[in-house]
Amino acid sequence: MHVLMLVATPVATDTRVLREAGSLVAAGHRVHVVGRSVPEGYEPPEGVTVSSVGTSSVFRPGGGAPPTGRHPRRLPPHLRLARWALLPQHRRSAFGRWAEGVRADVAARGLPVDVVHAHDFTALEVGAELARERGAPLVYDTHELWSGRPREHRPTPLADRRERRVEARLGREATAVITVGDGVAKALRDRYGWDHVHVVRNTFPSAAPHPPPPPAPVALVYAGRLAAYRELETVAEATRAPGLPLPVTLLGPADDTWLAGFDPGSATVRPPVGAEEVTDLLTAAGLVLVTHSDRWENHRLALPNKLFHAVRAGVPVVATDVGELARTVRAHGIGTLYRPGDATDLRRAVAEATDPVRYAELRARVDAASAQLGWERDERALLEVYDGLGRGGGPRAVPESG
């Protein structure tokens, strides 16, 4: 089948999209991904094609990828207030223009489309429209509980209600809904009454043979988005007092406005790198931070990429004691946990993980859990969804009142 994937990200660092696309190609499908501001010169995995649509808005002309590698200048108070107030309009404008560009790109390329695979709510409306036009099944792949995600701008209750109505209606219309874990899947079933939700976690394929982690951890690495509600303020606080036995590196794409006001303490902040380089860094460090706040429902339900990336690297974690994340760490014994917002307890959890006997035990538990927490299992779940589409699963009919 010809699969059209839509995702409003730069694709190059979107490991979930790339894993799914690669697995579908390996299974005999053809996959074209339309992304947002994909870096020039990016080479997708073999068999996957990618096109890029810019995201200019009425609030920020141009659509290039955000700069990385340098800390942005902190805005003065009046400009920070204006940004906070206008951010919802900017986001709607940017994603609306991206959707317009998607329609034009697909039409100009004359792409054959047998399945439309829309990643996240930002791609859902245009994905549903293209699926209806082509008479193709729609797969809605939601990487989070959209209505429970963090809000970093002014409250928008009317827009939030509209988004929930749109997600409820178009999700029912989709032939299949895919999400990242059992917690989010249950929330979607309970909230919307959907009976076609499938779990495909953010796991990683088994790594090719590479050097093992060190016999004792030498550093503590966080590899993920640098932004609010990731517990990074707690991490920074933990570095400012005695008792943290390892140097800390914070690595990943950043919310530039947030980063401009962030004091990392003694932690080192680095721009993002490719997934394979991240794996090498995690393995060399020997210990991984997997953190997020307890403030938002999505964080309590989510299973972040960072957890499964650590498992792929063969490295234990120090994780926030929150929701599904904590339950998974406890169930498999692959790390230590600390109370959210408590820098003292974070230092305690790091000290526990670096104890030689405890570290050896955690390493062994990571190795034992790698099969259950690896992509090979989740790949089968993804391909089962697509096998169902191939057996005639077409668009669902939605009542007018839906």
Side-chain angles (χ1 to χ4, degrees):
M1 292 188 290
H2 292 87
V3 180
L4 174 64
M5 280 194 173
L6 310 176
V7 60
T9 72
V11 181
T13 56
D14 198 323
T15 53
R16 180 176 179 85
V17 171
L18 295 174
R19 279 194 300 273
E20 292 182 351
S23 291
L24 291 172
V25 166
H29 303 288
R30 297 184 179 182
V31 179
H32 181 81
V33 184
V34 184
R36 171 192 180 198
S37 301
V38 179
E40 290 186 15
Y42 169 66
E43 293 291 336
E46 184 176 356
V48 179
T49 58
V50 173
S51 57
S52 181
V53 173
T55 56
S56 61
S57 83
V58 295
F59 297 98
R60 185 181 64 190
T68 58
R70 292 193 302 174
H71 290 198
R73 178 177 60 86
R74 183 172 174 82
L75 296 173
H78 70 285
L79 291 181
R80 293 203 303 274
L81 178 61
R83 185 186 186 278
W84 175 81
L86 295 175
L87 185 58
Q89 291 98 313
H90 162 72
R91 287 176 58 84
R92 284 195 295 273
S93 174
F95 288 121
R97 289 180 179 235
W98 176 77
E100 291 173 6
V102 168
R103 298 182 193 98
D105 184 74
V106 172
R109 292 175 185 276
L111 293 171
V113 178
D114 298 315
V115 179
V116 178
H117 190 130
H119 286 273
D120 269 331
F121 181 82
T122 46
L124 178 58
E125 289 185 89
V126 65
E129 178 184 317
L130 290 170
R132 286 192 296 267
E133 289 176 357
R134 305 298 182 98
L138 171 67
V139 175
Y140 176 36
D141 191 337
T142 179
H143 302 187
E144 56 189 338
L145 182 65
W146 183 260
S147 59
R149 74 198 191 286
R151 295 294 197 274
E152 299 175 29
H153 49 71
R154 65 174 174 81
T156 53
L158 295 178
D160 294 347
R161 283 198 291 272
R162 176 196 173 273
E163 288 181 355
R164 286 194 292 270
R165 289 195 300 269
V166 169
E167 184 175 52
R169 175 172 56 85
L170 297 183
R172 285 198 303 272
E173 181 179 312
T175 305
V177 176
I178 295 173
T179 194
V180 295
D182 292 330
V184 177
K186 182 179 185 301
L188 293 172
R189 295 181 187 116
D190 292 347
R191 184 162 302 181
Y192 298 138
W194 294 346
D195 61 359
H196 56 313
V197 182
H198 307 264
V199 172
V200 177
R201 299 169 302 174
N202 284 322
T203 49
F204 284 72
S206 299
H210 61 84
V218 298
L220 191 59
V221 176
Y222 169 98
R225 183 158 174 77
L226 307 180
Y229 310 118
R230 267 76 175 178
E231 278 283 289
L232 299 180
E233 295 86 354
T234 304
V235 174
E237 182 182 347
T239 70
R240 297 189 192 105
L244 195 65
L246 298 173
V248 176
T249 296
L250 309 177
L251 170 81
D255 176 328
D256 287 343
T257 300
W258 175 87
L259 188 59
F262 173 60
D263 177 2
S266 65
T268 300
V269 177
R270 292 184 49 182
V273 297
E276 291 306 314
E277 188 173 346
V278 171
T279 303
D280 293 340
L281 289 169
L282 301 184
T283 302
L287 196 60
V288 175
L289 277 168
V290 182
T291 62
H292 56 213
S293 80
D294 193 26
R295 177 172 175 180
W296 302 96
E297 184 181 14
N298 184 60
H299 284 161
R300 292 189 286 274
L301 299 177
L303 281 173
N305 277 3
K306 296 183 287 295
L307 176 66
F308 299 111
H309 208 154
V311 172
R312 181 194 179 183
V315 174
V317 303
V318 175
T320 319
D321 193 351
V322 172
E324 291 291 310
L325 168 61
R327 276 190 282 276
T328 302
V329 172
R330 284 193 177 97
H332 295 279
I334 56 176
T336 60
L337 298 165
Y338 78 95
R339 289 185 298 274
D342 189 335
T344 300
D345 200 44
L346 172 55
R347 290 192 291 270
R348 189 268 319 154
V350 174
E352 178 186 340
T354 56
D355 173 82
V357 175
R358 182 71 167 127
Y359 184 70
E361 175 188 314
L362 294 173
R363 280 272 312 276
R365 296 297 296 267
V366 171
D367 290 343
S370 60
Q372 284 186 285
L373 301 179
W375 177 243
E376 290 74 15
R377 178 175 174 177
D378 290 285
E379 181 182 57
R380 289 195 295 272
L382 173 68
L383 296 180
E384 286 173 4
V385 171
Y386 269 78
D387 287 346
L389 303 180
R391 290 194 294 267
R396 287 187 167 205
V398 179
E400 289 298 322
S401 60

